[in-house]
Amino acid sequence: MGGILNGMRVVEGSAFVAVPLAGLTLAQMGAEVIRFDRIEGGLDAGRWPLAPSGQSLFWAGLNKGKKSVAVDMRSEEGRELITRIITGGGEDAGLFITNLRVRGWMDHPTLSERRSDLVMVTLMGDRHGRPQVDYTVNPALGIPDMTGPEGHDAPVAHALPAWDVAAGGMVVNALLAAERHRLRTGEGQDVELSLKDVAAATIGHLGLIGEAATSGRARPKSGNALYGAYGQDFVCSDGRRVMVIGLTDRQWRGLVNVTGTGEAMAALAAETGTDLGDEGNRYRLRHRITSALAPWFGQRDLDAVAAALEDAGVTWAPFRTVPEALAEDPDLSEDNPMFRMLDQAGLGRFPVPGSPVTFSGFARQDPEGAPRLGQHTEEILSEVAGLDDADIARLYDRGVVAGGARKSARDAA
Amino acid sequence: MGGILNGMRVVEGSAFVAVPLAGLTLAQMGAEVIRFDRIEGGLDAGRWPLAPSGQSLFWAGLNKGKKSVAVDMRSEEGRELITRIITGGGEDAGLFITNLRVRGWMDHPTLSERRSDLVMVTLMGDRHGRPQVDYTVNPALGIPDMTGPEGHDAPVAHALPAWDVAAGGMVVNALLAAERHRLRTGEGQDVELSLKDVAAATIGHLGLIGEAATSGRARPKSGNALYGAYGQDFVCSDGRRVMVIGLTDRQWRGLVNVTGTGEAMAALAAETGTDLGDEGNRYRLRHRITSALAPWFGQRDLDAVAAALEDAGVTWAPFRTVPEALAEDPDLSEDNPMFRMLDQAGLGRFPVPGSPVTFSGFARQDPEGAPRLGQHTEEILSEVAGLDDADIARLYDRGVVAGGARKSARDAA
């Protein structure tokens, strides 16, 4: 049945997380996504984590279901091939996402001479065009300062490249918005954004800039507490840890009820003269609240805690390592239709996710594995760049392109 | 000149981060976004951080430039009004994003009886429809376990609601993809995704599931180190801290050159028999590398470190608190055209971000402040729900709607 973006063709010139994730999102919604790389592979070809074979699980994860073309872009001929691939195709093509920032032959002014309705989305490091990565944007904007155990005296970086993920989403948003406009007007578009601006806008949207400006103070670290209301981690009798949420009134009442702490909370409210129905007061008094709740958790193992919280409809989760999550959580297995167990050569057997989005008019697409580097070189040179078999053979022979089964002009005979 | 989504109308029924952020992203690209709330405000109306006045900086940040309608949805009339607002309008309307999950009158089967081409995107907590929040999804999937100082024995939650931000981006992706399909076929769409599935898919895409499955081990915490290559934080002579990146070969060589540690690194490579040109080896030997680099940083203050690193083209950033970032970083000021200094009643004066995306065919839109709750009730009842003045007055009188200047039927006289 295909995906909702079937027919759309997007070319991706990328490395690392954000733009590859954008291409993956489009591919898993049904677009044909052609990623091009240098013949030796992109800067992310060997990015960790690696499988025991040494192959990159990272690269394989972010390039699933794409077509891979390997071209020597130091040569004039190679650059011409990439230009043809980017600018070729019908009205659903001419869409290019990149974080490579190559001036001249691969910029929008030059490419749009070849295809005036080209939509090109360029993700930069910062608005000045300088390289920045998630690991630098995050400390510059203050998030590690507010992350970590209460009282810890050093900044704590996030392990998840959250700004890359956010920027990848924004690349897709921008591409689809510009393509929508092109459908109506025929106009191409040169679209730019930067990782740092995505992060700076987001902290503004979340109120963090206003908080800093109006209070003049840095938000202190609060460990695993939910900021501004009640939510806390607790250790169960078997040493397992859970996160419990009392953000909304309903969640808060559920938590108090299941733990039988109604009287203790009433006493705390009376003693402090505060209304615990106010979410901010629950945050201010979180240490006292936690002390009142902790014995209930400490007297039960995870299974008993889980059963009671589920019964009471409390919003909660266990803390897990990733291997524990993989072993325990059906949401990371084929029980979840988003996942398919794949056995990929050089990588191993594990559940692979498709798109998290379902569309009522389309069957969910099974995830596909990643291509080998250059696996689709020949196909794309023929079908997209419009070369004939002899031309393709000569390009292989001279090492301008690589990958796939074809190795030289002799194979064309 | 307007934004690239000008003409599109999206209705938002939401609370907290993800769906409000999705609506904001659409609004800042030029769509008309109508957020409806209960008369007393949504569950997030008082969410922290707060301004000194007690008003929510969070709510104001996530609802900028939207139209606000306040309706009593417990009443049949109120539900009919919301139904009209969601299903009204021309071919660029009939777009609804929500995380409220109201069965019956506000679900897709019911609403599509009134408008068959309705595109509705519903964000759930998990795929089973249970409530989950960023604070529970994250520990369940293992990220806090790998976050925090090396050797720290407890999980460390992220302070940024990263999964909410990711899910908000995916809501926009899904809406624009479904609207694209509708433009071509006229078909509506019931679109679903969950916060937990967005997170589970993302950790799969990043290789974390493959890593857990093939190694069988949890990834250890590595503090502020860049995972899988070299990148580390250093303390300067004035106590300020910087993050320095040696991810690519070029970054690594630049870092070694500027710090004059070429001989030390060659000696380390010889002693250990490893090639530091391999990014994985740099990660494995990161403690030794850090020891060799640390004196250079410890002998210079931040200004001197910054000047030298900039000169050498090294990718780096200072660690800052948010107030420091606001004071020091021009990217968080009007020097950055994404920001405008706004003085908002009840909130204060600070830089407010617009969209991080620029489109060559459109001037950058200045950010607008958030509406007051119900500020646009009367306008939307008239223009979208198609009510006349007397009907509107009666709804105000009976308390079915609220907000804006209009308070009762007497004002209509």
Side-chain angles (χ1 to χ4, degrees):
Chain A
M1 206 163 179
I4 199 159
L5 294 181
N6 263 189
M8 176 183 278
R9 178 194 292 155
V10 179
V11 178
E12 174 190 321
S14 70
F16 301 118
V17 178
V19 175
L21 182 61
L24 178 63
T25 300
L26 293 162
Q28 292 197 325
M29 290 198 293
E32 177 188 14
V33 176
I34 302 169
R35 171 168 167 159
F36 63 81
D37 278 292
R38 305 178 301 188
I39 284 178
E40 67 272 29
L43 290 171
D44 55 354
R47 188 86 181 91
W48 283 29
L50 307 180
S53 68
Q55 269 184 247
S56 172
L57 291 161
F58 173 96
W59 200 92
L62 284 165
N63 294 293
K64 292 189 287 278
K66 298 180 190 173
K67 292 182 175 172
S68 172
V69 181
V71 176
D72 176 8
M73 285 168 272
R74 291 165 306 181
S75 74
E76 190 63 47
E77 265 181 302
R79 294 197 287 265
E80 170 61 21
L81 290 174
I82 297 298
T83 300
R84 284 197 190 196
I85 292 168
I86 293 171
T87 59
E91 63 168 13
D92 289 339
L95 303 169
F96 179 36
I97 58 175
T98 188
N99 66 322
L100 299 181
R101 288 268 292 168
V102 177
R103 299 281 190 188
W105 72 273
M106 213 178 79
D107 62 17
H108 188 270
T110 309
L111 291 170
S112 62
E113 287 171 16
R114 296 282 286 271
R115 177 171 184 145
S116 62
D117 71 345
L118 178 72
V119 171
M120 174 169 174
V121 181
T122 304
L123 176 69
M124 302 178 288
D126 67 19
R127 65 190 170 102
H128 314 284
R130 289 184 298 223
Q132 290 287 336
V133 295
D134 192 284
Y135 289 98
T136 55
V137 161
N138 198 44
L141 296 178
I143 300 295
D145 177 67
M146 64 181 71
T147 305
E150 211 163 320
H152 185 70
D153 63 356
V156 176
H158 52 209
L160 176 77
W163 298 124
D164 280 327
V165 173
M170 198 60 83
V171 167
V172 176
N173 297 338
L175 183 83
L176 293 177
E179 199 247 357
R180 178 181 190 272
H181 181 72
R182 189 178 71 171
L183 274 173
R184 292 160 179 246
T185 63
E187 286 170 23
Q189 203 81 213
D190 188 11
V191 186
E192 290 190 335
L193 68 165
S194 77
L195 184 67
K196 188 172 183 185
D197 272 0
V198 169
T202 304
I203 68 167
H205 299 334
L206 294 171
L208 291 166
I209 293 175
E211 177 185 37
T214 60
S215 76
R217 288 193 308 273
R219 183 189 294 186
K221 297 177 194 291
S222 57
N224 295 335
L226 187 156
Y227 177 72
Y230 190 75
Q232 195 63 57
D233 55 328
F234 292 92
V235 179
C236 306
S237 65
D238 55 358
R240 287 292 298 267
R241 190 181 293 256
V242 296
M243 183 74 196
V244 180
I245 304 299
L247 172 56
T248 66
D249 282 346
R250 188 153 80 176
Q251 289 167 338
W252 170 243
R253 289 197 310 270
L255 179 57
V256 169
N257 286 341
V258 70
T259 55
T261 53
E263 281 180 35
M265 297 306 166
L268 175 60
E271 179 199 330
T272 56
T274 53
D275 172 13
L276 293 181
D278 176 88
E279 61 195 73
N281 287 338
R282 296 199 289 273
Y283 183 68
R284 293 186 188 96
L285 290 171
R286 65 188 184 280
H287 295 297
R288 300 284 304 273
I289 292 171
T290 298
S291 297
L293 293 172
W296 187 88
F297 292 92
Q299 290 154 11
R300 286 162 178 80
D301 66 12
L302 176 61
D303 286 348
V305 165
L309 296 178
E310 286 293 326
D311 232 35
V314 171
T315 299
W316 77 285
F319 280 79
R320 300 179 176 120
T321 65
V322 182
E324 281 171 347
L326 195 54
E328 290 178 5
D329 192 338
D331 290 347
L332 289 188
S333 77
E334 283 193 325
D335 186 64
N336 183 347
M338 182 174 77
F339 280 100
R340 282 289 167 266
M341 188 64 79
L342 297 185
D343 196 341
Q344 298 173 86
L347 299 174
R349 181 177 159 80
F350 50 84
V352 172
S355 173
V357 186
T358 60
F359 297 91
S360 56
F362 296 84
R364 201 188 257 273
Q365 291 194 291
D366 281 344
E368 296 174 48
R372 294 183 310 282
L373 180 67
Q375 182 178 333
H376 305 90
T377 298
E378 188 173 353
E379 170 191 333
I380 300 299
L381 292 183
S382 166
E383 293 177 14
V384 181
L387 302 191
D388 67 22
D389 218 41
D391 285 337
I392 294 173
R394 279 189 289 270
L395 290 167
Y396 271 94
D397 278 346
R398 289 205 312 284
V400 177
V401 303
R406 171 78 73 89
K407 288 290 174 286
S408 79
R410 288 185 298 279
D411 301 332
Chain B
M1 206 164 177
I4 198 159
L5 294 181
N6 262 189
M8 176 183 278
R9 179 193 292 156
V10 179
V11 178
E12 174 191 320
S14 70
F16 300 116
V17 180
V19 175
L21 182 62
L24 178 64
T25 300
L26 293 161
Q28 292 197 325
M29 291 197 294
E32 177 188 13
V33 177
I34 302 169
R35 172 169 167 158
F36 64 82
D37 278 292
R38 305 179 300 189
I39 283 179
E40 67 273 28
L43 290 171
D44 55 355
R47 187 88 182 89
W48 283 30
L50 308 180
S53 68
Q55 268 183 248
S56 172
L57 291 161
F58 173 96
W59 200 92
L62 284 166
N63 294 294
K64 292 188 288 276
K66 300 180 188 174
K67 294 183 173 170
S68 172
V69 182
V71 177
D72 177 8
M73 284 167 273
R74 290 165 308 181
S75 75
E76 189 64 45
E77 266 180 301
R79 293 197 289 265
E80 171 61 20
L81 291 174
I82 297 299
T83 300
R84 284 196 192 197
I85 292 168
I86 293 171
T87 60
E91 63 168 13
D92 290 338
L95 303 168
F96 179 36
I97 58 176
T98 188
N99 65 323
L100 301 181
R101 289 269 293 169
V102 178
R103 299 282 191 189
W105 72 272
M106 212 178 79
D107 61 18
H108 188 271
T110 309
L111 291 169
S112 61
E113 286 170 16
R114 297 282 286 270
R115 177 170 185 146
S116 62
D117 72 345
L118 178 72
V119 171
M120 174 169 174
V121 181
T122 305
L123 177 69
M124 304 179 287
D126 67 19
R127 66 189 169 103
H128 314 284
R130 289 184 298 223
Q132 290 287 334
V133 295
D134 192 283
Y135 289 97
T136 54
V137 161
N138 198 44
L141 296 178
I143 300 296
D145 177 67
M146 64 181 71
T147 305
E150 211 164 321
H152 185 70
D153 64 355
V156 176
H158 51 210
L160 175 77
W163 297 124
D164 280 326
V165 173
M170 197 59 83
V171 166
V172 177
N173 298 165
L175 183 83
L176 293 176
E179 200 246 358
R180 177 182 191 273
H181 181 71
R182 189 179 71 172
L183 275 172
R184 290 159 179 248
T185 63
E187 287 171 22
Q189 203 81 214
D190 188 11
V191 186
E192 290 190 335
L193 69 165
S194 78
L195 183 68
K196 188 171 182 185
D197 273 0
V198 168
T202 303
I203 68 166
H205 299 335
L206 294 171
L208 291 166
I209 292 175
E211 177 185 37
T214 60
S215 75
R217 288 193 307 273
R219 183 189 294 186
K221 296 177 194 295
S222 57
N224 295 336
L226 186 156
Y227 177 72
Y230 189 76
Q232 194 64 56
D233 55 328
F234 292 91
V235 179
C236 305
S237 65
D238 55 358
R240 288 293 299 266
R241 190 182 292 257
V242 295
M243 183 74 195
V244 181
I245 304 298
L247 172 56
T248 65
D249 281 347
R250 188 154 79 177
Q251 288 167 339
W252 170 244
R253 289 195 310 269
L255 178 57
V256 170
N257 287 342
V258 71
T259 54
T261 52
E263 281 181 34
M265 297 305 168
L268 176 59
E271 180 201 328
T272 55
T274 54
D275 172 13
L276 292 181
D278 177 88
E279 62 197 70
N281 287 337
R282 296 198 290 274
Y283 183 68
R284 292 185 189 98
L285 289 171
R286 67 189 183 280
H287 296 295
R288 300 285 303 273
I289 293 170
T290 298
S291 298
L293 293 172
W296 187 87
F297 292 91
Q299 289 155 12
R300 287 161 177 81
D301 67 11
L302 176 62
D303 286 347
V305 165
L309 296 179
E310 286 293 326
D311 232 35
V314 171
T315 299
W316 76 285
F319 280 79
R320 302 179 175 120
T321 66
V322 182
E324 282 171 346
L326 195 54
E328 292 178 5
D329 192 338
D331 290 346
L332 289 189
S333 77
E334 283 193 325
D335 186 67
N336 183 346
M338 183 174 78
F339 279 99
R340 283 290 166 265
M341 188 65 79
L342 297 185
D343 197 342
Q344 298 172 86
L347 298 175
R349 182 178 158 81
F350 50 84
V352 172
S355 172
V357 185
T358 61
F359 296 91
S360 56
F362 296 83
R364 201 187 257 274
Q365 291 194 292
D366 280 345
E368 296 174 48
R372 295 183 309 283
L373 181 67
Q375 182 178 333
H376 304 90
T377 298
E378 188 172 355
E379 169 191 333
I380 300 299
L381 292 182
S382 165
E383 294 177 15
V384 181
L387 302 190
D388 68 22
D389 218 39
D391 285 338
I392 294 172
R394 279 189 288 270
L395 289 167
Y396 271 95
D397 277 347
R398 288 208 309 285
V400 177
V401 302
R406 172 76 73 87
K407 288 290 176 285
S408 78
R410 287 185 296 279
D411 302 334

